[in-house]
Amino acid sequence: MADCSHGRETESDDLRKVTDFMCKRGYTEEAIKKIDVSAVQNIDDSELSRYIPAFGDRVNLRSLSKPDTGRKAALFDKLRNFAQTEFEDKISIAEMYDTVKMGMLRFHLCTKTKNGACSENKEDELTKKSSEDLETESDNELPEIEETISDVESIRDPVLPDSDVTPTKRLVMPRSPSPPPEEKLTTIVHRVKVLEELIEMFKSPQIIKKSIQFSFINEAGADQSGVSRDVYTSFWADFFSRVAEGEDFRVPALNPQWQVEEWKSVGRILVKGLLDHNIFPLNFAPAYVTALLFGEHSISEKTLLDSFLLYLSKSERDLAKVAIERKLSADENEDFLDMLDRLGSKTIPTFENMQEELLKMAHKELIQKPKYALEKMAEVCRNEIIVQIPSEVDLLEMYESKRPSVRKVLKMISSNPRFLTGTDILCVEKIEVTFTKLIGIERRPIAHTCGPTLELPCTYMSYIEFRYELDNILQSDHCMEMNIA
């Protein structure tokens, strides 16, 4: 190959890129001098082929000779300067995402010359041997992702006919367990219609076996669990507001529009949210869920009474607690009779049998009234969920573990801090918080639901300043305009 370095000092950056490329492709300095870079974009391809025989070289030459812009250069810099993060051969794709905390991963492939200076290098030969060993091992143990360089050369780096570079297979990474392509489903939903759209979508029994990725219409975000958690949480928020009754704890309210398929859809949504994203709606009365999973005979009196008290309004709850503890005053007794009338009770209990009568009312409200919904939901979700929650004790422990508290949240914060989950229950194992140096109008917390992580500025002068700005952000109409992943 001719020495192309002579006279390079006077070349422009664009011309140097072209000459460097042509030298690497094996063209002589005499051939390079025949190419006018400024005319490459306008010259006919048949004419250019007289000097550049390989079509791929002509494509690359035209690309290199295009006038550069600041934006284009910045983009290429981002593409060229990848993080070069190294992983163990058997790490899964999910573990890689969790490690780099990025929305997209790029795999970079390399080629090696079959003969010549590179193959004479002992270190390169060891690398090549290691790569071949990995290929042999993966054939017996794991499916592998292989890229044949010859498949992509015509697009990115065409090989000259007389080149000594040969196609090389290289093991990139073992494939993480995932459903076959036909089992994956990408769907877009309207936030204001999430209840109706998910009910319709989950009428198909096969939906349980599919890997689902969600996105909200007119909302930015790539689903790496965060959007899905947001979708399921939004569904349950709408469900308990529009199709359930009760206060702190609620049960389904039957209506003529919802028949067997609608209630089965609710059951499938309950299963899918729990199995895929550890989402479970804590607004369901525990007594109702116990009957749903294990049958009504499994409900303890304590669970039934506790569920009923939190099903009642605050004033009725306080009145019922007083009625259990002591005899009611005249005014209290009048309010209590109004409550019995609202609940449809035809019996006036005495102090001695008060708890027994309250348990009867609890069973009527929490089990008998929503019985149809309970049975249809149980048909599709009972066998799936009891694998995860095998008893009433486990169910109550789950309620306690998923309910957020200051103490629990503080225990979840790791030393490399960041957080947000896209849901209102505890469905992740840890919270991470990191710190940024944003100042001025750019200073604000940034939440990533895929991590889940929270970025907080460390540029506040005091806690009071931080609290003031955070309160203003939370009270703003635009505080929820965020990208969810």
Side-chain angles (χ1 to χ4, degrees):
M1 183 181 295
D3 180 10
C4 300
S5 61
H6 180 67
R8 291 283 179 85
E9 292 78 11
T10 60
E11 293 180 352
S12 66
D13 289 341
D14 290 342
L15 181 57
R16 185 176 296 111
K17 292 177 183 177
V18 172
T19 54
D20 285 346
F21 166 75
M22 295 187 68
C23 280
K24 291 177 181 178
R25 304 307 296 160
Y27 294 96
T28 64
E29 187 172 2
E30 182 181 356
I32 295 173
K33 288 180 179 179
K34 294 180 181 180
I35 303 298
D36 184 350
V37 176
S38 61
V40 167
Q41 296 299 318
N42 301 317
I43 192 171
D44 183 77
D45 192 64
S46 61
E47 181 69 21
L48 185 60
S49 65
R50 293 173 53 191
Y51 307 99
I52 311 294
F55 174 74
D57 285 349
R58 296 199 298 275
V59 172
N60 280 323
L61 183 61
R62 291 185 189 278
S63 176
L64 289 170
S65 62
K66 286 182 180 180
D68 200 1
T69 63
R71 182 178 179 182
K72 181 179 177 182
L75 177 60
F76 276 112
D77 283 341
K78 291 180 180 178
L79 292 175
R80 282 193 292 264
N81 300 323
F82 60 98
Q84 302 185 28
T85 304
E86 295 184 3
F87 295 101
E88 294 183 2
D89 294 328
K90 295 185 179 180
I91 191 172
S92 69
I93 299 296
E95 289 171 327
M96 285 189 284
Y97 272 109
D98 187 58
T99 300
V100 300
K101 308 291 186 188
M102 294 180 64
M104 179 178 294
L105 293 179
R106 289 188 176 90
F107 298 94
H108 296 262
L109 308 179
C110 66
T111 61
K112 297 183 182 299
T113 55
K114 184 175 180 180
N115 299 306
C118 290
S119 64
E120 295 172 1
N121 186 293
K122 189 171 183 179
E123 181 178 347
D124 284 351
E125 289 182 354
L126 290 174
T127 303
K128 182 178 180 182
K129 185 177 185 304
S130 175
S131 176
E132 292 171 353
D133 291 341
L134 283 173
E135 289 179 23
T136 304
E137 181 180 352
S138 65
D139 288 338
N140 299 325
E141 296 182 0
L142 289 171
E144 59 187 31
I145 302 173
E146 292 186 338
E147 288 288 347
T148 302
I149 302 303
S150 58
D151 292 339
V152 295
E153 289 289 348
S154 61
I155 299 174
R156 293 190 299 175
D157 193 13
V159 181
L160 288 172
D162 58 349
S163 172
D164 59 359
V165 179
T166 58
T168 303
K169 285 189 176 183
R170 181 177 178 84
L171 176 66
V172 179
M173 198 61 62
R175 190 187 304 274
S176 60
S178 61
E182 65 272 15
E183 293 297 319
K184 293 183 179 179
L185 177 65
T186 301
T187 187
I188 303 174
V189 296
H190 298 78
R191 187 176 288 275
V192 296
K193 294 183 178 180
V194 67
L195 179 70
E196 293 83 358
E197 291 177 350
L198 257 66
I199 288 294
E200 191 63 31
M201 175 181 173
F202 277 81
K203 285 183 179 180
S204 169
Q206 287 73 34
I207 196 73
I208 296 295
K209 300 179 182 179
K210 295 183 182 293
S211 173
I212 309 175
Q213 284 193 324
F214 287 101
S215 63
F216 282 113
I217 288 181
N218 297 327
E219 295 186 26
D223 191 4
Q224 297 167 21
S225 292
V227 178
S228 290
R229 288 196 293 258
D230 192 9
V231 168
Y232 288 114
T233 301
S234 299
F235 169 85
W236 289 117
D238 278 7
F239 176 86
F240 288 115
S241 296
R242 299 165 55 187
V243 203
E245 55 187 352
E247 288 298 318
D248 292 357
F249 282 150
R250 303 185 182 187
V251 296
L254 302 184
N255 65 78
Q257 285 71 40
W258 283 37
Q259 299 295 316
V260 57
E261 292 304 323
E262 283 74 18
W263 290 115
K264 284 186 176 181
S265 286
V266 176
R268 295 187 187 105
I269 294 169
L270 184 66
V271 170
K272 196 65 172 169
L274 178 63
L275 299 187
D276 287 4
H277 302 285
N278 204 20
I279 299 290
F280 193 90
L282 300 183
N283 290 95
F284 270 130
Y288 176 85
V289 180
T290 301
L292 180 72
L293 301 182
F294 317 113
E296 60 180 284
H297 61 277
S298 302
I299 309 172
S300 65
E301 289 188 355
K302 184 179 186 308
T303 298
L304 184 59
L305 183 59
D306 290 346
S307 297
F308 181 59
L309 291 175
L310 288 171
Y311 169 85
L312 298 173
S313 66
K314 179 66 166 59
S315 58
E316 291 179 339
R317 182 187 314 157
D318 293 340
L319 189 60
K321 288 180 179 179
V322 171
I324 295 174
E325 295 171 357
R326 61 172 174 80
K327 290 186 177 181
L328 298 174
S329 65
D331 290 339
E332 290 172 338
N333 192 59
E334 184 176 348
D335 293 336
F336 188 72
L337 292 176
D338 289 339
M339 183 185 81
L340 295 179
D341 183 62
R342 184 185 72 81
L343 295 173
S345 176
K346 305 302 181 183
T347 303
I348 300 179
T350 64
F351 175 69
E352 287 72 21
N353 69 353
M354 181 63 69
Q355 181 163 323
E356 180 183 350
E357 292 300 318
L358 286 175
L359 286 172
K360 291 179 181 178
M361 286 185 274
H363 191 272
K364 170 181 172 291
E365 292 293 314
L366 304 182
I367 306 301
Q368 296 177 31
K369 283 178 64 176
K371 186 74 170 179
Y372 181 78
L374 188 153
E375 290 177 346
K376 299 310 172 187
M377 289 176 62
E379 288 179 19
V380 298
C381 75
R382 176 173 292 171
N383 292 337
E384 300 281 352
I385 296 180
I386 60 175
V387 176
Q388 306 289 327
I389 310 171
S391 69
E392 184 189 35
V393 174
D394 296 300
L395 175 67
L396 297 179
E397 287 179 355
M398 183 199 69
Y399 267 80
E400 179 59 30
S401 65
K402 288 185 176 295
R403 189 169 289 111
S405 69
V406 174
R407 179 181 60 83
K408 292 177 186 175
V409 171
L410 289 177
K411 287 180 66 176
M412 293 173 68
I413 295 178
S414 71
S415 59
N416 182 20
R418 294 189 203 176
F419 171 67
L420 196 64
T421 63
T423 183
D424 54 3
I425 65 171
L426 297 181
C427 59
V428 296
E429 294 182 357
K430 67 177 181 178
I431 295 170
E432 295 186 351
V433 180
T434 55
F435 298 95
T436 65
K437 294 185 178 180
L438 298 177
I439 59 175
I441 61 173
E442 292 187 347
R443 186 165 69 181
R444 80 280 187 197
I446 301 174
H448 304 268
T449 60
C450 58
T453 60
L454 178 66
E455 297 179 3
L456 293 177
C458 62
T459 52
Y460 298 103
M461 299 300 294
S462 66
Y463 169 73
I464 295 176
E465 184 180 21
F466 164 73
R467 182 182 62 189
Y468 172 75
E469 288 195 10
L470 185 61
D471 285 345
N472 285 338
I473 291 172
L474 295 177
Q475 293 170 10
S476 168
D477 293 335
H478 305 289
C479 73
M480 291 306 292
E481 291 183 0
M482 62 179 72
N483 292 346
I484 301 176

mmCIF file of all heavy atoms in Angstrom, residues 80-114:
data_model
loop_
_atom_site.group_PDB
_atom_site.id
_atom_site.type_symbol
_atom_site.label_atom_id
_atom_site.label_comp_id
_atom_site.label_asym_id
_atom_site.label_seq_id
_atom_site.Cartn_x
_atom_site.Cartn_y
_atom_site.Cartn_z
ATOM 1 N N ARG A 80 -20.224 7.455 18.089
ATOM 2 C CA ARG A 80 -18.888 6.875 18.128
ATOM 3 C C ARG A 80 -18.405 6.656 19.558
ATOM 4 O O ARG A 80 -17.762 5.659 19.868
ATOM 5 C CB ARG A 80 -17.906 7.803 17.385
ATOM 6 C CG ARG A 80 -18.003 7.683 15.862
ATOM 7 C CD ARG A 80 -16.826 8.350 15.214
ATOM 8 N NE ARG A 80 -16.854 9.783 15.389
ATOM 9 C CZ ARG A 80 -17.341 10.643 14.501
ATOM 10 N NH1 ARG A 80 -17.841 10.189 13.376
ATOM 11 N NH2 ARG A 80 -17.327 11.927 14.717
ATOM 12 N N ASN A 81 -18.679 7.628 20.468
ATOM 13 C CA ASN A 81 -18.117 7.542 21.829
ATOM 14 C C ASN A 81 -19.018 6.761 22.748
ATOM 15 O O ASN A 81 -19.597 7.288 23.683
ATOM 16 C CB ASN A 81 -17.913 8.962 22.391
ATOM 17 C CG ASN A 81 -16.968 9.743 21.513
ATOM 18 O OD1 ASN A 81 -16.029 9.194 20.992
ATOM 19 N ND2 ASN A 81 -17.226 11.007 21.338
ATOM 20 N N PHE A 82 -19.226 5.468 22.473
ATOM 21 C CA PHE A 82 -20.052 4.637 23.343
ATOM 22 C C PHE A 82 -19.283 4.309 24.611
ATOM 23 O O PHE A 82 -18.085 4.494 24.709
ATOM 24 C CB PHE A 82 -20.501 3.365 22.612
ATOM 25 C CG PHE A 82 -19.367 2.483 22.152
ATOM 26 C CD1 PHE A 82 -19.006 1.400 22.919
ATOM 27 C CD2 PHE A 82 -18.704 2.748 20.976
ATOM 28 C CE1 PHE A 82 -17.986 0.578 22.501
ATOM 29 C CE2 PHE A 82 -17.675 1.922 20.555
ATOM 30 C CZ PHE A 82 -17.308 0.844 21.316
ATOM 31 N N ALA A 83 -20.017 3.803 25.640
ATOM 32 C CA ALA A 83 -19.448 3.655 26.985
ATOM 33 C C ALA A 83 -18.436 2.511 27.091
ATOM 34 O O ALA A 83 -17.656 2.447 28.024
ATOM 35 C CB ALA A 83 -20.565 3.421 28.004
ATOM 36 N N GLN A 84 -18.452 1.580 26.122
ATOM 37 C CA GLN A 84 -17.537 0.435 26.137
ATOM 38 C C GLN A 84 -17.656 -0.368 27.446
ATOM 39 O O GLN A 84 -16.678 -0.836 27.996
ATOM 40 C CB GLN A 84 -16.093 0.895 25.929
ATOM 41 C CG GLN A 84 -15.894 1.663 24.637
ATOM 42 C CD GLN A 84 -14.427 2.014 24.389
ATOM 43 O OE1 GLN A 84 -13.555 1.312 24.838
ATOM 44 N NE2 GLN A 84 -14.191 3.089 23.674
ATOM 45 N N THR A 85 -18.892 -0.488 27.945
ATOM 46 C CA THR A 85 -19.111 -1.259 29.170
ATOM 47 C C THR A 85 -18.952 -2.749 28.875
ATOM 48 O O THR A 85 -19.535 -3.268 27.932
ATOM 49 C CB THR A 85 -20.527 -0.994 29.717
ATOM 50 O OG1 THR A 85 -20.683 0.408 29.901
ATOM 51 C CG2 THR A 85 -20.731 -1.721 31.042
ATOM 52 N N GLU A 86 -18.155 -3.442 29.662
ATOM 53 C CA GLU A 86 -17.943 -4.866 29.481
ATOM 54 C C GLU A 86 -18.822 -5.656 30.450
ATOM 55 O O GLU A 86 -18.956 -5.297 31.604
ATOM 56 C CB GLU A 86 -16.471 -5.219 29.706
ATOM 57 C CG GLU A 86 -15.538 -4.591 28.676
ATOM 58 C CD GLU A 86 -14.099 -5.054 28.867
ATOM 59 O OE1 GLU A 86 -13.872 -5.900 29.753
ATOM 60 O OE2 GLU A 86 -13.224 -4.568 28.134
ATOM 61 N N PHE A 87 -19.421 -6.756 29.957
ATOM 62 C CA PHE A 87 -20.273 -7.598 30.777
ATOM 63 C C PHE A 87 -19.783 -9.040 30.717
ATOM 64 O O PHE A 87 -19.120 -9.450 29.760
ATOM 65 C CB PHE A 87 -21.728 -7.558 30.287
ATOM 66 C CG PHE A 87 -22.381 -6.216 30.416
ATOM 67 C CD1 PHE A 87 -22.527 -5.372 29.321
ATOM 68 C CD2 PHE A 87 -22.859 -5.787 31.646
ATOM 69 C CE1 PHE A 87 -23.127 -4.147 29.445
ATOM 70 C CE2 PHE A 87 -23.458 -4.560 31.775
ATOM 71 C CZ PHE A 87 -23.599 -3.737 30.683
ATOM 72 N N GLU A 88 -20.150 -9.795 31.719
ATOM 73 C CA GLU A 88 -19.876 -11.222 31.672
ATOM 74 C C GLU A 88 -20.725 -11.867 30.589
ATOM 75 O O GLU A 88 -21.798 -11.387 30.239
ATOM 76 C CB GLU A 88 -20.189 -11.860 33.034
ATOM 77 C CG GLU A 88 -19.273 -11.384 34.159
ATOM 78 C CD GLU A 88 -19.578 -12.088 35.469
ATOM 79 O OE1 GLU A 88 -20.471 -12.956 35.461
ATOM 80 O OE2 GLU A 88 -18.927 -11.758 36.477
ATOM 81 N N ASP A 89 -20.241 -12.991 30.053
ATOM 82 C CA ASP A 89 -20.884 -13.600 28.900
ATOM 83 C C ASP A 89 -22.320 -14.028 29.156
ATOM 84 O O ASP A 89 -23.153 -14.011 28.266
ATOM 85 C CB ASP A 89 -20.075 -14.819 28.436
ATOM 86 C CG ASP A 89 -18.711 -14.402 27.907
ATOM 87 O OD1 ASP A 89 -18.635 -13.301 27.347
ATOM 88 O OD2 ASP A 89 -17.746 -15.164 28.059
ATOM 89 N N LYS A 90 -22.642 -14.437 30.403
ATOM 90 C CA LYS A 90 -23.954 -15.031 30.665
ATOM 91 C C LYS A 90 -24.919 -14.073 31.349
ATOM 92 O O LYS A 90 -25.918 -14.487 31.909
ATOM 93 C CB LYS A 90 -23.791 -16.298 31.501
ATOM 94 C CG LYS A 90 -23.036 -17.387 30.756
ATOM 95 C CD LYS A 90 -22.977 -18.686 31.556
ATOM 96 C CE LYS A 90 -22.242 -19.761 30.778
ATOM 97 N NZ LYS A 90 -22.164 -21.039 31.506
ATOM 98 N N ILE A 91 -24.655 -12.769 31.301
ATOM 99 C CA ILE A 91 -25.565 -11.791 31.901
ATOM 100 C C ILE A 91 -26.786 -11.629 31.003
ATOM 101 O O ILE A 91 -26.695 -11.729 29.784
ATOM 102 C CB ILE A 91 -24.846 -10.437 32.094
ATOM 103 C CG1 ILE A 91 -25.687 -9.500 32.965
ATOM 104 C CG2 ILE A 91 -24.525 -9.785 30.766
ATOM 105 C CD1 ILE A 91 -24.958 -8.227 33.344
ATOM 106 N N SER A 92 -27.944 -11.387 31.589
ATOM 107 C CA SER A 92 -29.168 -11.234 30.808
ATOM 108 C C SER A 92 -29.320 -9.784 30.345
ATOM 109 O O SER A 92 -28.689 -8.872 30.874
ATOM 110 C CB SER A 92 -30.395 -11.634 31.641
ATOM 111 O OG SER A 92 -30.612 -10.695 32.669
ATOM 112 N N ILE A 93 -30.193 -9.596 29.341
ATOM 113 C CA ILE A 93 -30.456 -8.245 28.832
ATOM 114 C C ILE A 93 -31.020 -7.360 29.937
ATOM 115 O O ILE A 93 -30.659 -6.202 30.084
ATOM 116 C CB ILE A 93 -31.443 -8.307 27.651
ATOM 117 C CG1 ILE A 93 -30.852 -9.131 26.508
ATOM 118 C CG2 ILE A 93 -31.776 -6.908 27.162
ATOM 119 C CD1 ILE A 93 -29.625 -8.554 25.888
ATOM 120 N N ALA A 94 -31.939 -7.931 30.750
ATOM 121 C CA ALA A 94 -32.540 -7.149 31.841
ATOM 122 C C ALA A 94 -31.481 -6.680 32.827
ATOM 123 O O ALA A 94 -31.535 -5.549 33.316
ATOM 124 C CB ALA A 94 -33.600 -7.992 32.561
ATOM 125 N N GLU A 95 -30.496 -7.537 33.127
ATOM 126 C CA GLU A 95 -29.432 -7.165 34.059
ATOM 127 C C GLU A 95 -28.547 -6.068 33.475
ATOM 128 O O GLU A 95 -28.063 -5.208 34.192
ATOM 129 C CB GLU A 95 -28.596 -8.397 34.405
ATOM 130 C CG GLU A 95 -29.331 -9.408 35.290
ATOM 131 C CD GLU A 95 -28.579 -10.718 35.434
ATOM 132 O OE1 GLU A 95 -27.892 -11.134 34.477
ATOM 133 O OE2 GLU A 95 -28.679 -11.322 36.510
ATOM 134 N N MET A 96 -28.352 -6.110 32.145
ATOM 135 C CA MET A 96 -27.573 -5.038 31.517
ATOM 136 C C MET A 96 -28.285 -3.695 31.624
ATOM 137 O O MET A 96 -27.681 -2.673 31.924
ATOM 138 C CB MET A 96 -27.303 -5.385 30.053
ATOM 139 C CG MET A 96 -26.234 -6.452 29.856
ATOM 140 S SD MET A 96 -25.771 -6.640 28.135
ATOM 141 C CE MET A 96 -27.175 -7.547 27.523
ATOM 142 N N TYR A 97 -29.609 -3.674 31.362
ATOM 143 C CA TYR A 97 -30.378 -2.436 31.509
ATOM 144 C C TYR A 97 -30.287 -1.918 32.943
ATOM 145 O O TYR A 97 -30.129 -0.726 33.190
ATOM 146 C CB TYR A 97 -31.849 -2.663 31.142
ATOM 147 C CG TYR A 97 -32.152 -2.478 29.683
ATOM 148 C CD1 TYR A 97 -32.459 -3.565 28.866
ATOM 149 C CD2 TYR A 97 -32.132 -1.217 29.100
ATOM 150 C CE1 TYR A 97 -32.735 -3.403 27.518
ATOM 151 C CE2 TYR A 97 -32.417 -1.048 27.754
ATOM 152 C CZ TYR A 97 -32.714 -2.131 26.967
ATOM 153 O OH TYR A 97 -32.988 -1.961 25.649
ATOM 154 N N ASP A 98 -30.403 -2.826 33.901
ATOM 155 C CA ASP A 98 -30.356 -2.425 35.306
ATOM 156 C C ASP A 98 -28.994 -1.863 35.675
ATOM 157 O O ASP A 98 -28.879 -0.978 36.509
ATOM 158 C CB ASP A 98 -30.680 -3.633 36.190
ATOM 159 C CG ASP A 98 -30.826 -3.254 37.649
ATOM 160 O OD1 ASP A 98 -31.682 -2.396 37.941
ATOM 161 O OD2 ASP A 98 -30.099 -3.791 38.491
ATOM 162 N N THR A 99 -27.932 -2.336 35.012
ATOM 163 C CA THR A 99 -26.578 -1.885 35.325
ATOM 164 C C THR A 99 -26.293 -0.503 34.754
ATOM 165 O O THR A 99 -25.796 0.385 35.453
ATOM 166 C CB THR A 99 -25.549 -2.897 34.781
ATOM 167 O OG1 THR A 99 -25.774 -4.160 35.394
ATOM 168 C CG2 THR A 99 -24.123 -2.422 35.090
ATOM 169 N N VAL A 100 -26.621 -0.299 33.462
ATOM 170 C CA VAL A 100 -26.239 0.964 32.810
ATOM 171 C C VAL A 100 -27.256 2.071 33.016
ATOM 172 O O VAL A 100 -26.959 3.238 32.778
ATOM 173 C CB VAL A 100 -26.004 0.742 31.304
ATOM 174 C CG1 VAL A 100 -24.902 -0.263 31.074
ATOM 175 C CG2 VAL A 100 -27.290 0.285 30.613
ATOM 176 N N LYS A 101 -28.498 1.723 33.433
ATOM 177 C CA LYS A 101 -29.546 2.721 33.702
ATOM 178 C C LYS A 101 -29.824 3.587 32.481
ATOM 179 O O LYS A 101 -29.985 4.798 32.589
ATOM 180 C CB LYS A 101 -29.152 3.632 34.871
ATOM 181 C CG LYS A 101 -28.734 2.897 36.133
ATOM 182 C CD LYS A 101 -29.875 2.194 36.785
ATOM 183 C CE LYS A 101 -29.462 1.602 38.111
ATOM 184 N NZ LYS A 101 -30.488 0.760 38.679
ATOM 185 N N MET A 102 -29.854 3.010 31.296
ATOM 186 C CA MET A 102 -30.107 3.756 30.074
ATOM 187 C C MET A 102 -31.307 3.165 29.365
ATOM 188 O O MET A 102 -31.673 2.005 29.558
ATOM 189 C CB MET A 102 -28.887 3.737 29.150
ATOM 190 C CG MET A 102 -27.677 4.470 29.703
ATOM 191 S SD MET A 102 -26.267 4.413 28.582
ATOM 192 C CE MET A 102 -26.936 5.341 27.191
ATOM 193 N N GLY A 103 -31.938 3.992 28.510
ATOM 194 C CA GLY A 103 -33.128 3.553 27.809
ATOM 195 C C GLY A 103 -32.855 2.695 26.597
ATOM 196 O O GLY A 103 -33.748 2.060 26.066
ATOM 197 N N MET A 104 -31.598 2.672 26.107
ATOM 198 C CA MET A 104 -31.279 1.900 24.918
ATOM 199 C C MET A 104 -29.866 1.348 25.030
ATOM 200 O O MET A 104 -28.952 2.023 25.496
ATOM 201 C CB MET A 104 -31.397 2.780 23.667
ATOM 202 C CG MET A 104 -31.053 2.053 22.364
ATOM 203 S SD MET A 104 -31.258 3.102 20.919
ATOM 204 C CE MET A 104 -33.031 3.352 20.940
ATOM 205 N N LEU A 105 -29.709 0.099 24.619
ATOM 206 C CA LEU A 105 -28.387 -0.522 24.588
ATOM 207 C C LEU A 105 -27.955 -0.714 23.148
ATOM 208 O O LEU A 105 -28.777 -1.051 22.290
ATOM 209 C CB LEU A 105 -28.406 -1.884 25.287
ATOM 210 C CG LEU A 105 -28.654 -1.890 26.796
ATOM 211 C CD1 LEU A 105 -28.659 -3.326 27.289
ATOM 212 C CD2 LEU A 105 -27.578 -1.110 27.519
ATOM 213 N N ARG A 106 -26.657 -0.484 22.850
ATOM 214 C CA ARG A 106 -26.106 -0.758 21.527
ATOM 215 C C ARG A 106 -24.985 -1.774 21.651
ATOM 216 O O ARG A 106 -24.120 -1.644 22.507
ATOM 217 C CB ARG A 106 -25.561 0.526 20.885
ATOM 218 C CG ARG A 106 -26.643 1.515 20.465
ATOM 219 C CD ARG A 106 -26.022 2.660 19.677
ATOM 220 N NE ARG A 106 -27.031 3.568 19.179
ATOM 221 C CZ ARG A 106 -27.474 4.620 19.847
ATOM 222 N NH1 ARG A 106 -26.964 4.899 21.028
ATOM 223 N NH2 ARG A 106 -28.404 5.396 19.346
ATOM 224 N N PHE A 107 -25.010 -2.784 20.786
ATOM 225 C CA PHE A 107 -23.953 -3.767 20.762
ATOM 226 C C PHE A 107 -23.037 -3.474 19.582
ATOM 227 O O PHE A 107 -23.505 -3.312 18.466
ATOM 228 C CB PHE A 107 -24.526 -5.192 20.632
ATOM 229 C CG PHE A 107 -25.389 -5.588 21.786
ATOM 230 C CD1 PHE A 107 -26.762 -5.430 21.743
ATOM 231 C CD2 PHE A 107 -24.823 -6.096 22.938
ATOM 232 C CE1 PHE A 107 -27.563 -5.790 22.796
ATOM 233 C CE2 PHE A 107 -25.609 -6.461 24.003
ATOM 234 C CZ PHE A 107 -26.988 -6.310 23.932
ATOM 235 N N HIS A 108 -21.737 -3.393 19.826
ATOM 236 C CA HIS A 108 -20.768 -3.080 18.788
ATOM 237 C C HIS A 108 -19.970 -4.332 18.430
ATOM 238 O O HIS A 108 -19.412 -4.997 19.296
ATOM 239 C CB HIS A 108 -19.820 -1.967 19.269
ATOM 240 C CG HIS A 108 -20.527 -0.668 19.505
ATOM 241 N ND1 HIS A 108 -20.555 0.344 18.591
ATOM 242 C CD2 HIS A 108 -21.274 -0.238 20.551
ATOM 243 C CE1 HIS A 108 -21.265 1.364 19.054
ATOM 244 N NE2 HIS A 108 -21.708 1.025 20.249
ATOM 245 N N LEU A 109 -19.951 -4.650 17.131
ATOM 246 C CA LEU A 109 -19.254 -5.824 16.642
ATOM 247 C C LEU A 109 -17.922 -5.415 16.027
ATOM 248 O O LEU A 109 -17.779 -4.313 15.503
ATOM 249 C CB LEU A 109 -20.098 -6.547 15.582
ATOM 250 C CG LEU A 109 -21.532 -6.875 15.988
ATOM 251 C CD1 LEU A 109 -22.253 -7.561 14.832
ATOM 252 C CD2 LEU A 109 -21.533 -7.773 17.206
ATOM 253 N N CYS A 110 -16.941 -6.310 16.060
ATOM 254 C CA CYS A 110 -15.647 -6.021 15.456
ATOM 255 C C CYS A 110 -15.239 -7.168 14.550
ATOM 256 O O CYS A 110 -15.706 -8.289 14.685
ATOM 257 C CB CYS A 110 -14.586 -5.780 16.526
ATOM 258 S SG CYS A 110 -14.224 -7.243 17.519
ATOM 259 N N THR A 111 -14.354 -6.868 13.563
ATOM 260 C CA THR A 111 -13.824 -7.892 12.678
ATOM 261 C C THR A 111 -12.333 -8.015 12.903
ATOM 262 O O THR A 111 -11.676 -7.089 13.393
ATOM 263 C CB THR A 111 -14.088 -7.534 11.208
ATOM 264 O OG1 THR A 111 -13.427 -6.296 10.911
ATOM 265 C CG2 THR A 111 -15.579 -7.384 10.944
ATOM 266 N N LYS A 112 -11.799 -9.156 12.529
ATOM 267 C CA LYS A 112 -10.353 -9.390 12.634
ATOM 268 C C LYS A 112 -9.845 -9.882 11.290
ATOM 269 O O LYS A 112 -10.513 -10.666 10.614
ATOM 270 C CB LYS A 112 -10.046 -10.420 13.730
ATOM 271 C CG LYS A 112 -10.442 -9.970 15.134
ATOM 272 C CD LYS A 112 -10.028 -11.015 16.154
ATOM 273 C CE LYS A 112 -10.457 -10.618 17.548
ATOM 274 N NZ LYS A 112 -9.848 -9.359 17.996
ATOM 275 N N THR A 113 -8.670 -9.434 10.887
ATOM 276 C CA THR A 113 -8.095 -9.899 9.632
ATOM 277 C C THR A 113 -7.671 -11.354 9.767
ATOM 278 O O THR A 113 -7.170 -11.777 10.810
ATOM 279 C CB THR A 113 -6.872 -9.047 9.257
ATOM 280 O OG1 THR A 113 -5.954 -9.063 10.347
ATOM 281 C CG2 THR A 113 -7.289 -7.615 8.957
ATOM 282 N N LYS A 114 -7.875 -12.107 8.680
ATOM 283 C CA LYS A 114 -7.532 -13.533 8.708
ATOM 284 C C LYS A 114 -6.026 -13.740 8.675
ATOM 285 O O LYS A 114 -5.481 -14.608 9.344
ATOM 286 C CB LYS A 114 -8.190 -14.225 7.519
ATOM 287 C CG LYS A 114 -7.991 -15.735 7.496
ATOM 288 C CD LYS A 114 -8.760 -16.352 6.365
ATOM 289 C CE LYS A 114 -8.574 -17.861 6.344
ATOM 290 N NZ LYS A 114 -9.311 -18.490 5.234
#
